Amino acid sequence: MSGAATEFLAARARAIKPSPSMAAKSRVDQLRAEGRDIIDFTVGEPDQPTPAHIVQAGIDALTSGDIRYTASTGGRPLLQAVRAKFQRENGLDYALDELIVGVGAKQILYTALAATVQAGDEVIIPAPYWVSYPDMVLVNDGVPVVVACAEADGFKLTPQALERAITPRTKWLLLNTPSNPTGAMYSAAELRGLADVLARHPHVWLMTDEIYEHLAYGGRRHVSPAAAAPELAGRTLTVNGVSKAYAMTGWRLGYAGGPKVLIKAMATLISQSTSCVSAISQAAACVALTADQACVGHAAAMFEARRDRIVAGLNAAPGIRCPQPDGAFYVYPGVQGLLGRRSPAGHLLRTDLDVVMFLLDEAGVAVLDGHAYGLSPYLRLSFATSMENIEEGCRRIAHACGRLA
C-alpha cells in the first residue's frame, strides 16, 4: 500500500496488528500448500465436529423458516437459555434485560470496551494474555496496562500487583479464567483477594472472559468472579460463549450478563453494526445450552488426556520446561534452556521467536511465541488436536532440541 493510502487509514487501524494465531495459521497453510508436512499447534479450535443434536437444531431453524432478524440483544428463547445456564452453572441470576448475545465472545468483549472506554482510559490486562485484548483496547483509544504474572505465581494476577496497577484512569480489569494461553484458573479465594482490592477502587469495573470454563481438569471447578464477589455484580460483565465447550467456533455466538445500563449501550452499538446474531446460530446455541450436557463432559475428558500427554512429551525435550495447566487446551512451556544455543545450520536462538522459527524449519512443528502473549521466553501450544499429532509433534520437538549445540 502506498504512503498516501496508508495515511488515509485512521490512526486506530494503523495502531493495531493482525492476530498472531491467525497469521500463524496462514503461514502453516502456505507451507502445506508447498508440500511441507507440518504439525500445527497454533490454532485454539476444537478438532471435533459440533455435536449432531446441535447441528440438527440449526437445520431445523433453516427448514422452519424462522430465520429473520432478532432483537439486537438476542432472541428471547436464547436469552432465557442463557439466563438458566448462568443460574444453573455459575450461581448468577440476571434479568433478561441484563443479558446480551453477540457474534462470538470476541464481539462481546470488543463492544463492551467500545461502549465504555474513552481516550486515555486504562484497562488492566494480566500477562500472559489472549493476543486480542491489548489491540481491542487500543482500537477504542484506550491504554492497555499490561501486568506481568510470573510462572511462580501460576501466571495469575496477585492482589498486590493489581493494587499497584490501578490509577485514577483505570476503567476495567480484564480477567480470563481459565486462561488462554496458560490454562491458569483462579480459585474462589484468589478471586476474593482481587475483589477486596477492587472494593477499594469503585471506579474500576471487572470484565471476565470465561469461554473455557468447562475445560477444567484434575477435579478443578471453574468459579465465576461475579459469584465469588457478588458485591461487585453492579460493575461486572461476565462473558462466555459456545465456541469451545460445544465445538461451535464457526457458528460465532457469545453471550454475557452484566449491568442493565452497560447491556443497553452494547445493544445500541450492535444494532448499528451487525444488527444481531444469525438466527440459525441462535437456534443451535439454544439447544446447546439446554440439552443434555454429556457432550461437554466427554470433550473435557478427551482434552485432559491430551493435556497429560503433551505435558509429558514436552518435558522430555531437552531445554524445555512445561507446567501443567489446570484448564483450557493450551500449554505454555518455558524455553529459557534453549536460548543461547545454535541450530545445526548455525543460527543462534536469542528469543522465543527464534525458537518458533527453528521448530518450524527444523521439525515441521508450528507453535507460537510467548512474546505475542506478553511474557517471554515461552511458547504457546494448543492441544486441541489429535493424540497422534501430539505424540508425533512432541517427538519431533525433542529430536530437534537434542540437535542444538
Side-chain angles (χ1 to χ4, degrees), residues 184-198:
M185 292 180 65
Y186 288 81
S187 68
E190 289 167 333
L191 293 171
R192 185 68 260 167
L194 297 176
D196 289 344
V197 175
L198 293 177

Side-chain angles (χ1 to χ4, degrees), residues 341-349 358 362 400 403-405:
R341 302 176 67 181
R342 291 188 181 273
S343 70
H347 297 133
L348 180 64
L349 304 185
F358 165 69
E362 179 74 16
R403 299 186 65 208
L404 289 169

Side-chain angles (χ1 to χ4, degrees), residues 66-359:
D66 187 17
I67 50 173
R68 298 184 182 277
Y69 293 129
T70 72
S72 294
T73 52
R76 187 177 182 86
L78 179 55
L79 293 178
Q80 290 173 326
V82 169
R83 182 186 187 195
K85 182 269 178 215
F86 274 134
Q87 292 173 328
R88 179 181 71 246
E89 296 182 350
N90 305 104
L92 301 174
D93 191 9
Y94 295 105
L96 292 186
D97 60 3
E98 295 175 319
L99 299 170
I100 193 166
V101 173
V103 184
K106 196 171 193 176
Q107 187 193 26
I108 296 289
L109 295 163
Y110 180 92
T111 304
L113 294 170
T116 58
V117 173
Q118 302 185 86
D121 285 346
E122 297 171 353
V123 177
I124 297 173
I125 302 173
Y129 48 69
W130 181 41
V131 292
S132 292
Y133 293 150
D135 286 307
M136 286 183 182
V137 174
L138 287 170
V139 80
N140 285 295
D141 299 323
V143 179
V145 176
V146 175
V147 180
C149 301
E151 183 180 343
D153 293 321
F155 298 117
K156 290 182 277 192
L157 182 67
T158 65
Q160 296 78 13
L162 174 59
E163 185 75 63
R164 289 192 297 268
I166 293 174
T167 76
R169 297 306 303 268
T170 305
K171 201 70 171 269
W172 289 99
L173 164 62
L174 209 173
L175 202 63
N176 178 208
T177 177
S179 161
N180 173 8
T182 67
M185 292 180 65
Y186 288 81
S187 68
E190 289 167 333
L191 293 171
R192 185 68 260 167
L194 297 176
D196 289 344
V197 175
L198 293 177
R200 296 192 290 271
H201 301 278
H203 67 290
V204 182
W205 284 37
L206 175 62
M207 190 183 313
T208 67
D209 181 352
E210 305 178 29
I211 192 73
Y212 295 99
E213 71 163 315
H214 290 297
L215 303 180
Y217 313 124
R220 293 289 301 271
R221 288 186 60 84
H222 168 75
V223 179
S224 286
E231 71 276 15
L232 297 181
R235 51 184 167 120
T236 298
L237 181 70
T238 301
V239 182
N240 211 316
V242 297
S243 292
K244 312 301 183 179
Y246 302 97
M248 294 179 67
T249 52
W251 295 81
R252 305 311 304 131
L253 191 137
Y255 55 86
K260 181 178 177 180
V261 63
L262 174 59
I263 297 299
K264 182 178 180 181
M266 292 169 63
T268 299
L269 290 178
I270 288 175
S271 75
Q272 297 290 13
S273 55
T274 55
S275 294
C276 63
V277 177
S278 160
I280 304 163
S281 295
Q282 291 194 46
C286 189
V287 168
L289 294 175
T290 57
D292 188 290
Q293 299 294 294
C295 61
V296 177
H298 294 155
M302 175 189 68
F303 284 124
E304 184 166 7
R306 292 177 177 183
R307 176 203 67 167
D308 294 345
R309 189 66 58 88
I310 198 169
V311 168
L314 290 173
N315 278 323
I320 294 181
R321 184 193 68 261
C322 185
Q324 180 170 275
D326 289 324
F329 41 57
Y330 309 101
V331 287
Y332 204 67
V335 293
Q336 181 67 43
L338 300 179
L339 302 187
R341 302 176 67 181
R342 291 188 181 273
S343 70
H347 297 133
L348 180 64
L349 304 185
R350 295 184 176 88
T351 67
D352 48 20
L353 183 56
D354 292 334
V355 176
V356 167
M357 298 312 298
F358 165 69
L359 293 178

